[in-house]
Amino acid sequence: MSISGTRVLRVEDHQLITTGGTYVEDLREDALTGAVHAMFLRSPIAHARITSVDVSEALTAPGVVAVYTAADIDLAAGSAGPVGQPWLADGVVRYVGEPVALVLAEHPYQLADAAELIDIDYEPLTAVASIDAALAGETLLFPDTGSNVMQARGEFDETAFDGCEVVLTRTIVNQRVAPAPLEVRGAACAWDANGRLTIWLSTQNAQIARTIVAGGLGVGEDSVRVVTPDVGGGFGAKIGADPEAVVLGWAARRVERPVRWTETRSENLTSMTHGRAQQNTVTIGGRRDGTVQAFRLDVVQDAGAYPRAMFLPTLTELMASGVYHFPKVEAASRAVVTNTTPIAPYRGAGRPEATAAIERAMDLFAAEIGMDPAEVRRVNFVRPEEFPYETPTGAVYDTGEYAGALERVLEAGGYQELRAEQARRREGGDPVALGLGIATYVEITGGDAGGESGRVDINPDGSVTAYTGSSPHGQGLDTSLAMLLSDRLGIPMDRITVRHGDTDEVPKGIGTFGSRSLQLGGSAVRQAADQVIDRARELVADLLEAAPQDLELNVEHGAWQVRGAPSSGSVTWAQLAGQAGAGTLSADVWFGDGAPTFPFGAHLAVVEVDTLTGKVELRRLIAADDAGPVVNPLAFRGQRHGGLGQGAAQALLEVMSYDPDGNPTTATLADYSFVTATELPDFELVDMETPTTRNLLGVKGIGEAATIGSTPAVHNAVVDAVAHLGVSHLDMPTTPLRVWQALAEARKAN
Amino acid sequence: MIPVQFGYRRASSVDEALALLAEHGDDAKLLAGGHSLLPLMKLRLAAPEVLVDIAPVEELHHVRIDGEDVVIGALARYHDLQGDEVLREHAPLLAHVAGVVGDQQVRHRGTIGGSIAHADPAADLPAAILASDAVLVARGQEGERRIPAADFFLGPFTTSLTPEELLTEIRVPRQTGLGWGFEKFTRRAIDWAIVGVAVSGKRVGLINMGGTPVRASAAEEALARGASVAEAAELAAEGTSPPDEPHATTEYRRHLARVLTARALETSAGSR
Ligand SMILES: Cc1cc2nc3c(=O)[nH]c(=O)nc-3n(C[C@H](O)[C@H](O)[C@H](O)COP(=O)(O)OP(=O)(O)OC[C@H]3O[C@@H](n4cnc5c(N)ncnc54)[C@H](O)[C@@H]3O)c2cc1C
């Protein structure tokens, strides 16, 4: 019997919830004995010229081993990007939190004292603290480039909306949020006697980190080994390696001692990259019967001070038209630099922004023509028979059943009854308004199409060691891969070990982001298992003196036998592996044909808004998230739960804000409102499985899908709750103050 | 976050604590539950040279009846107050408010005396003891003095305690049988109040409507004149000067004070 599709407890969890994981900070490796501790002194000012640096007093502080600034760093240019970030700020600081100096001391408690003694004079420059200020261009972050616009793509057709009965346009802010993983960033570096660096790093991809660190240090990739111990979440912000990792590796070489670093929680909030940060102008046009004829998306991406991820607005453009078949779709984008923390991928990375824009636009259009938002969506969906469907912006959707997803959540939620209840409250003048929000979404997973490595070894005792280039950090992929292998090989899960995240063990790999791991990493180990099976078949043929094509692997017993004649003898994996000798039953593959897949779904959010105070309570969240066949429903649901919570949080609570001088105003967890269980309802999950044709397993990614759907569903619900009072739009997060002010303005306007 | 280096002394009695305070003067700070002081130290906004830990002082953990008063030791923790039978009967508002401070961890460490001495205008207990007409008992080298709650809070994080004094007890006239109500407006369950309202009998205390906890005196007077709950609540923000912040403007706070006062007064009327 296959275990795929059954609920299997995660093999990772026993250790995580008993003794706890081993994170970078916990490492007690011999190679780290005698390590010095590191701390980055960071800019307290958003934009300033550094006029003098004096580290002499800090150098005399107790325990201090070294203090370095930009002048000490003898490496080539800074990090990658159109304008690279210097390893340590060089002459100019461009955001609060930018690393300016590195302090090394014997004990971590000595670091903060010493850092206070570093004397740096800043001559403030005008800060560019918002997208509007960046576009105005009065102050340039990089005067040599002549503009704050670092990338501009696409143009619009002036006649796009000709012939539309209704045309609406609106700017929608997709606010900046902080990833705030449970484990903050950390690294430990040790050079060996042969001049090779081992860096233990909290990252989502050891192999990409190796490329970045080796490149930064100017050494060959074979001179760097990256190891990821347990990693406590990343959400995109731990892809690759940040400039800090390169500086630490450099410092360890310079002081000829191992170096350890863990940032503080507050440091993490301003110094780890942020996500989202787009300002999107939608224009939607169509007929009063609900048909949308043209849609335009104009994206402005705030890239932060040093742009790193120029593909984010590009992905937003690609996914502009969502689940709809519109005759005309056009998208363009600009990416600007501001004196704020750099922006990088964050759970969804470009796709949530597209979904948020189109799903708000659909509701605006529905409200304008007086049609139920569910009905407007029905009229415009891509239909099942249209797949594969190529969108006007160039995405080729694999499979989908968009209307089906919507109908299922509407039925599960009792949509008609909820609308009736809403009408009753409105008629009765109930101060607690009910709001219903729909979002139907499609997203792209494994969008990088970069493939993944997979290796399967049958050990002499018949156990299995599998190696994956994926880099799970909380998702439960070890369990899913072991399930796939167990089903394929007929070897029990407790005899299967999955290894990842050490570049010496897994030299090739791309890692975990973009919900790619199961579809690419899973396909890779599956392909490796199939190659092992082919090799085994040859060996068994010799042993049983049978033709290879007459042999079968009995997965119930994990043994090979002659098809139709089990009594003529069988060979177990252990027998076979014992005889074959080490390395024979092994396959190492690169699964390279993994084209992107397009998970989709529908969410229905139910909120109550206290119209006297503006406070919003999320009462229900009903979600259909279809990512094809489910390997482990437990892990699958876990990914959906986390995604729903994180997505709802963006709609309701979270924003990383700056004042006009570029000072972060939500720089501690007392001010930055991440979501807690208390603010979330029990999620109502509706199951659907539409396989893809684009990989061996038929699976799509689920890591980000629920985040993408839930933000606009909750956002739309809040607006819907107060629509009858004259509010047509609210920006996120829909804080009580914002709701109350919108209600007050609407009252004034009436 | 790492605080500046500090010394640590442990007191096991009030006298010992007072002696240590006298010894170290302005350089010392009392440490009770640590849930306000330690975060400030970690952010390096506070840097006392010596912490005098009073958590071990057994004599200040009590809740007992003394004549017409309920007497609460300054070191009683929220978690204990929340479930205390005597408090629930004779000062139910305080028992309730202790149960909505922060989260479980905070309620197991934080003390009522720490909250009052810290005098954060956004804190819950200070407004509740104001509405309860409490008297605060302080001890210094020269002996004991009693300070009515209304005279205790001087400004944000400022009280009439001297650096050598210890807040020992909170004396609350028994509120047995009086109506009470409490409204705490937050975005998330673990947040501090944007605005809060504590009602006990005819007294209304406001959280975060100025530099100190304040009484909504115009509303109280209206009630005394026989005004309706709605009429009285309309006056709740009179004479207050709430802070203006990006997430909560002055005008919004005034509005909330009115809405929440109406709700707390209604709850109070219903609880009698
Ligand atoms: C995450 C978090 C959430 C919180 N949420 C809330 C909330 O929602 N509402 C709320 O009201 N509070 C909240 N707090 C604060 C909490 O209530 C604190 O416990 C309280 O403010 C201080 O009490 P403490 O015993 O911890 O005092 P400490 O932090 O030990 O001391 C605070 C100050 O009071 C002085 N002090 C303490 N005891 C005495 C005494 N007996 N005599 C004289 N001086 C004294 C100290 O020297 C120090 O200056 C929160 C705290 C945290 C960390």
Side-chain angles (χ1 to χ4, degrees), chain B residues 29-30 32-37 78 102 106 110-111 114 117 123-124 167 184 192:
Chain B
K29 264 273 178 202
L30 295 170
H35 269 50
S36 289
L37 184 54
Y78 302 124
V106 174
T111 66
D124 299 314
L167 176 64
K184 179 178 182 178
W192 299 77

Side-chain angles (χ1 to χ4, degrees), chain A residues 60-374:
Chain A
T60 64
V64 169
V65 174
V67 180
Y68 296 122
T69 61
D72 300 300
I73 305 257
D74 51 357
L75 296 172
S79 65
V83 277
Q85 175 167 349
W87 302 117
L88 291 173
D90 193 1
V92 177
V93 289
R94 293 189 181 82
Y95 66 95
V96 172
E98 180 170 356
V100 177
L102 177 73
V103 188
L104 301 178
E106 298 293 345
H107 193 280
Y109 273 51
Q110 294 165 332
L111 290 166
D113 292 337
E116 283 193 343
L117 301 175
I118 300 175
D119 194 3
I120 298 182
D121 286 333
Y122 295 100
E123 181 188 306
L125 299 167
T126 307
V128 178
S130 66
I131 284 176
D132 289 343
L135 288 173
E138 280 159 25
T139 303
L140 298 181
L141 266 74
F142 303 96
D144 291 352
T145 63
S147 170
N148 288 324
V149 179
M150 293 288 141
Q151 174 176 288
R153 293 163 37 94
E155 48 196 48
F156 296 126
D157 169 6
E158 305 227 320
T159 65
F161 294 88
D162 289 0
C164 293
E165 286 171 19
V166 178
V167 179
L168 296 168
T169 188
R170 175 174 282 285
T171 297
I172 296 169
V173 175
N174 205 293
Q175 83 272 26
R176 170 188 290 257
V177 292
L182 276 181
E183 185 210 10
V184 295
R185 289 177 301 165
C189 305
W191 292 84
D192 68 17
N194 303 320
R196 188 163 188 258
L197 170 68
T198 299
I199 173 165
W200 290 264
L201 190 63
S202 185
T203 172
Q204 300 175 216
N205 0 45
Q207 296 80 8
I208 294 177
R210 178 187 53 194
T211 305
I212 294 172
V213 171
L217 294 174
V219 300
E221 289 204 10
D222 48 2
S223 295
V224 176
R225 171 184 175 207
V226 177
V227 182
T228 64
D230 283 325
V231 175
F235 306 109
K238 287 184 187 164
I239 294 176
D242 284 343
E244 282 92 337
V246 173
V247 176
L248 293 164
W250 172 86
R253 188 167 63 189
R254 179 79 168 244
V255 297
E256 297 180 352
R257 283 175 66 180
V259 172
R260 305 190 75 139
W261 170 67
T262 303
E263 67 183 345
T264 67
R265 176 56 69 187
S266 309
E267 191 178 9
N268 175 268
L269 269 180
T270 50
S271 306
M272 178 181 238
T273 55
H274 295 155
R276 308 283 190 261
Q278 286 186 6
Q279 192 165 295
N280 295 326
T281 304
V282 293
T283 310
I284 187 165
R287 290 199 298 266
R288 294 206 168 267
D289 68 0
T291 312
V292 175
Q293 291 161 295
F295 178 68
R296 173 185 292 167
L297 176 63
D298 188 3
V299 179
V300 189
Q301 173 79 57
D302 178 353
Y306 298 98
R308 318 188 168 188
M310 300 308 253
F311 65 89
L312 292 172
T314 309
L315 266 179
T316 309
E317 285 179 48
L318 182 69
M319 299 307 289
S321 56
V323 289
Y324 309 108
H325 182 153
F326 298 151
K328 188 146 185 101
V329 179
E330 44 182 34
S333 70
R334 282 165 291 169
V336 300
V337 283
T338 58
N339 290 118
T340 61
T341 299
I343 293 293
Y346 168 71
R347 206 168 189 171
R351 296 99 77 204
E353 296 87 329
T355 305
I358 180 66
E359 290 304 293
R360 271 304 295 137
M362 290 304 273
D363 266 32
L364 288 166
F365 184 69
E368 180 67 23
I369 63 171
M371 189 180 262
D372 188 283

Side-chain angles (χ1 to χ4, degrees), chain A residues 613-647:
Chain A
T613 63
K615 183 160 179 176
V616 179
E617 304 272 4
L618 178 58
R619 292 296 177 209
R620 296 176 66 191
L621 192 50
I622 304 126
D625 302 295
D626 188 333
V630 174
V631 175
N632 186 357
L634 183 75
F636 190 79
R637 291 191 152 224
Q639 289 298 301
R640 292 169 75 190
H641 275 223
L644 289 166
Q646 213 161 350

Side-chain angles (χ1 to χ4, degrees), chain A residues 113 612-613 615 653 674 679, chain B residues 44 186-189 252 255:
Chain A
D113 292 337
L612 293 179
T613 63
K615 183 160 179 176
L653 293 165
F674 65 88
E679 286 74 50
Chain B
R44 299 197 161 209
T186 61
R187 291 174 63 193
R188 304 171 303 165
Y252 182 50
H255 169 78

